[in-house]
Structures are given as C-alpha cells and as structure tokens.
Amino acid sequence: MSVPKKLYIESTTRCNLACDKCIKQMPGNRISNEDLPLPLFEKLLPELGEVDTLILNGIGEPLLHPHLVEMVAKARAVMKRDGVIGFQSNGVLMSTTMAEKLVEAGLSSVCFSLDGLQGEGEGNSVSSPSSLSVARALGNLRPFIRQKEVQTGLEIVVSQDNVEALPDLIQWGADQGVNYILVSHLFAYDKEMTNKSLFSPITQEVLTLFVKYQELARQQGIDLVRGLHAHVKFNRAAPDKQALELLAQMRKQAQAKDIYLHWADLLEYDAEQMDHTSALFATAQQVALDRGIALELPPLQAEHNRSCLFIEDQAAFIGTRGEVMPCHFLWHSYSCMGGNEVIDVQQRDFGNLHDRSLTAIWEGDEYKRFREEARRAEYSRCWSCPQSPCADIVNNNNLLTANDCHGSIVPCGHCRWSIGGLRCL
C-alpha cells in the first residue's frame, strides 16, 4: 500500500485580506469560510511518516488557524527527518511570537505572497499583501531561523500590471534574505484577467509554423492576418481567398505534425510584448544568479508536451471537510476562463477522510485510473482547439459531466497547469 508523496492540506479557507486576484473575490464563488478540524488532521498522522512534503494551505491564510503550530509539531513528530513542512502566507499575522513557535515546532519553509513593492502596481491596495507586511514577517522570522534549517521564499503572480518591476522584486527579495522565489502567471477568472496575462497558449511549434507561412505569404504579396480575419466572413474577396488557401496548407501541415491551430490566439499573439517580457525574465534570472537565489520562472508559451506536476509529484489535496482531490484545478468548485469563455469547474474528490483512510482513498480503483489517465496526457488539447470550449461544457455548466473529444475521463485539457502556465509551492 502507498500514500501520496506530497500532501496539500487546506488548513483554512478563511483569509484576512481580499486580494482582487483571488478566486474568493470572483462572482459566483462557492467557497465557504471554514477551518480544518484538528481531530481530522490527526487522522492523517499514521500516514504522514511516508509523506515527503506537507503544505498546510489552500485558498485561505494558514496563520488564521488556531491550531497551526500544533499541526506543524504533530506532523514533525511523525514525518521523516528530511520531510518538508511548509505553507504560503500573506505575512500579516507572522508576529515574533508566532515565528518562534512555528520554527520550534519544526517548520521547514514559508513562502510569502507578493506581487509588487509598496506603492507600485494596481495590486498593492490595503486589501493585498504589501512589501511592508512581508518585510516585517521576514524580520520576525530571521532571529529564529539562523540556528534552524528553515527556508523562506516569495511567490509572485506576474502580469502586465507588475512585470516591469520583476527584476526589482527579485533584488528586494535578495535584500530580505529569502532563499527562493516562485513566479507564476495569472489564473484568469474573467476576461479582464485574461487580457492582463502574459502567458500565451500558443506553443513554440505553432508559432514557428505560423512564422514560416507568414514569410511565404509575404513573398507572394498575401496578407496572412487578413486571411485569419476572413474566417468569420461569408463574402470573401480574392485576396482573402488566397490567404485562406495558404492557411489551409498550413493547417494540413499542422495536422501531419499533430499540432492544433487556434486562429483567435494567433490573431492576439503580441510578438513585441513577448520579446519584452522575455528580456525582463532574463534580467530577473540574472539578478537571482548574482544574488544566489533559486528563481523558478514559468514559460511564456504553452508547452507542447503536456504534463502534470501534481501527478509527477504524487500529490493529493485535502479540503477542510476531509475531501481528497487530485490537484489544484479540481480542489474547489468555481468559474474560470477556458479560452475566451467562462467555464464551470466542479470539485472532484475521490473520498472523504471521515469515511476512509488516506491510503484507502489513494489506492482506490477510481483514483488510480484517474492518475494513470492524467499521467498518459492523451486528453484533448482544449487550449489549442479552435472549437474550445466545447458547447456541451458551456451549456452543461460542469466540466466533469462529459468525456472530452478523445473520450478521456480527466478534464486536464482545460487545465492551465498542464501546459506550464501556473506554478505552486
């Protein structure tokens, strides 16, 4: 029998801030404010000895949980000597007393959310994490982590609002003494957030093919972009037809290479913005290298070979009511953007700790089939598909009620984690 090697436990869904990028601030949010009961956490202790990494947060602020220190201490008592116990926080409640208790209890790592320096960017309202709060939290931790092997880090959600400040944020983190920085793209819940995202669902293979046919079109005096716009026309002029014929050749070559073409994404692709962002990422990476910080940057374009880090890490997710889920994408019920349309995502659980042990749920046939199918990554390429999101998904308002176009039982084709756009602790 086996258990997950990485376990995300949502200690609480409550939060002391109201960040505008958080799913809890989105219309139609169905996430209630709850704490994970300590007795439910204690049911996991016999199995935590086989867990390599324990993350004690989800949507909420873990420092609000009245038994967080006790959870850390109980986990440390049963986990492997090199087992990692950590969580992500906005830092507001990280007092000197709390810092000392957590470090003494056996905390391994704490990652603070920060999207901009104080006074910079639209995300630094009084309801969002500020550099002042994070600096104070790191300062309160510093005296206690010197004798302990405790790592501190930052998680930055990068967008058009704050990308110019990214190198400065890395420099600031180094000045504060953090060990690592995770950078992620926006998880878009509405069209406005989609427009601010720096991540393109277009793979490099698609872009290379498109650039090739753009050059062919230029040599023939054809406007290929005009041809893309002509897809929505009924009365097409002769130049449109020429461009459409060239696009048909491109589509045929794409099909031969198992490449999907999403015409609308090609129209929206901003090469100048992509080059500028790439340069900023390179500068940020150099700052991290110079200052000795481990910096994890996300790709700017979708990866052709899809994979799920949660599956590869053998991770599982536990909600405040004891539900066991496979990933961040299916941890809660909410609405988000699927291409250019809003889709509903329903929480997908495989059992509850009130009824069965984590081992029994993890080893259950249904959960094992799900993990194996997700690992094979044979599901539809929904982010690249010109038909996405499928009409049945939009009309049914449930991503889990139907198999995808390939007959897959997993909804991973709609997940931005699978194409590299999102990163987590």
Side-chain angles (χ1 to χ4, degrees):
M1 301 292 281
S2 65
V3 297
K5 295 304 179 184
K6 188 171 187 178
L7 197 57
Y8 292 83
I9 298 180
E10 190 158 51
S11 52
T12 182
T13 54
R14 296 186 295 129
C15 192
N16 50 350
L17 298 182
C19 304
D20 54 8
K21 297 182 181 71
C22 178
I23 187 175
K24 291 191 71 176
Q25 310 310 317
M26 298 299 113
N29 156 54
R30 287 153 280 176
I31 303 173
S32 57
N33 291 323
E34 298 175 333
D35 291 340
L36 179 81
L38 182 60
L40 190 59
F41 176 81
E42 291 173 335
K43 292 186 71 171
L44 291 165
L45 294 179
E47 292 154 311
L48 286 183
E50 299 301 317
V51 172
D52 295 332
T53 303
L54 175 65
I55 306 297
L56 291 169
N57 69 270
I59 294 297
E61 168 53 55
L63 291 174
L64 283 171
H65 198 289
H67 301 294
L68 180 64
V69 173
E70 194 171 351
M71 287 180 179
V72 172
K74 287 178 178 292
R76 177 55 65 204
V78 298
M79 288 181 67
K80 304 170 186 175
R81 183 179 180 85
D82 58 349
V84 174
I85 303 173
F87 61 83
Q88 187 174 327
S89 168
N90 58 46
V92 173
L93 298 176
M94 185 63 80
S95 64
T96 301
T97 300
M98 178 60 73
E100 182 177 18
K101 288 181 177 179
L102 285 168
V103 172
E104 290 302 315
L107 187 70
S108 307
S109 177
V110 58
C111 184
F112 295 104
S113 301
L114 184 67
D115 295 338
L117 300 178
Q118 184 68 15
E120 295 183 11
E122 296 180 1
N124 286 299
S125 66
V126 293
S127 60
S128 298
S130 73
S131 57
L132 295 178
S133 297
V134 173
R136 182 168 56 249
L138 287 166
N140 290 338
L141 276 164
R142 201 168 293 123
F144 308 108
I145 64 177
R146 287 172 181 163
Q147 284 75 40
K148 303 283 186 177
E149 295 182 3
V150 180
Q151 300 283 299
T152 58
L154 302 176
E155 179 169 29
I156 300 168
V157 177
V158 71
S159 69
Q160 290 184 4
D161 289 339
N162 65 352
V163 67
E164 300 293 336
L166 183 60
D168 291 336
L169 281 166
I170 308 303
Q171 188 72 53
W172 183 88
D175 292 341
Q176 298 298 318
V178 301
N179 306 103
Y180 63 90
I181 298 178
L182 308 177
V183 179
S184 177
H185 292 292
L186 279 171
F187 187 11
Y189 304 114
D190 57 27
K191 185 63 177 176
E192 181 181 358
M193 292 177 74
T194 298
N195 292 337
K196 290 183 177 182
S197 175
L198 299 169
F199 181 74
S200 172
I202 299 174
T203 66
Q204 186 57 50
E205 290 81 1
V206 169
L207 186 61
T208 299
L209 186 64
F210 185 60
V211 169
K212 170 186 173 181
Y213 275 85
Q214 274 187 315
E215 178 59 22
L216 289 174
R218 187 191 64 79
Q219 294 173 6
Q220 299 176 40
I222 297 172
D223 186 346
L224 202 61
V225 173
R226 176 172 175 164
L228 289 174
H229 284 292
H231 268 281
V232 297
K233 295 180 181 179
F234 288 100
N235 298 316
R236 295 167 177 171
D240 294 341
K241 294 177 181 178
Q242 291 177 321
L244 287 170
E245 289 174 359
L246 202 56
L247 287 172
Q249 295 177 31
M250 183 175 75
R251 180 170 58 244
K252 185 176 181 180
Q253 186 172 350
Q255 290 172 341
K257 295 183 176 182
D258 191 30
I259 295 174
Y260 283 32
L261 298 174
H262 194 293
W263 306 118
D265 287 339
L266 285 170
L267 279 172
E268 294 176 1
Y269 185 82
D270 189 337
E272 185 176 344
Q273 174 67 60
M274 186 64 68
D275 290 343
H276 181 63
T277 305
S278 296
L280 288 169
F281 272 32
T283 300
Q285 187 67 74
Q286 188 59 55
V287 172
L289 287 171
D290 292 343
R291 298 300 302 272
I293 291 179
L295 174 63
E296 183 177 336
L297 291 168
L300 291 173
Q301 294 177 246
E303 298 171 342
H304 180 72
N305 295 321
R306 300 164 299 171
S307 63
C308 176
L309 293 177
F310 304 128
I311 294 295
E312 293 176 2
D313 290 344
Q314 299 181 60
F317 295 71
I318 297 177
T320 53
R321 299 178 183 180
E323 321 96 307
V324 179
M325 281 74 69
C327 59
H328 260 301
F329 186 53
L330 302 176
W331 203 346
H332 289 286
S333 296
Y334 58 92
S335 297
C336 67
M337 296 300 293
N340 292 316
E341 298 289 340
V342 175
I343 60 175
D344 268 13
V345 180
Q346 301 296 320
Q347 175 183 292
R348 179 68 166 95
D349 69 80
F350 292 92
N352 195 295
L353 296 177
H354 286 290
D355 306 318
R356 291 188 290 161
S357 68
L358 177 61
T359 299
I361 296 171
W362 179 257
E363 286 290 314
D365 291 341
E366 187 181 12
Y367 198 174
K368 288 168 73 173
R369 283 197 301 270
F370 185 98
R371 295 199 302 273
E372 181 55 35
E373 187 148 341
R375 183 178 293 108
R376 290 199 304 268
E378 295 173 352
Y379 41 81
S380 298
R381 295 185 177 275
C382 302
W383 280 103
S384 305
C385 178
Q387 304 299 323
S388 179
C390 304
D392 58 341
I393 290 173
V394 174
N395 294 332
N396 289 339
N397 293 321
N398 188 347
L399 199 62
L400 302 178
T401 57
N403 295 348
D404 70 15
C405 298
H406 292 182
S408 176
I409 63 170
V410 300
C412 306
H414 295 272
C415 175
R416 192 161 287 205
W417 275 274
S418 73
I419 54 176
L422 301 173
R423 291 289 187 270
C424 301
L425 183 64

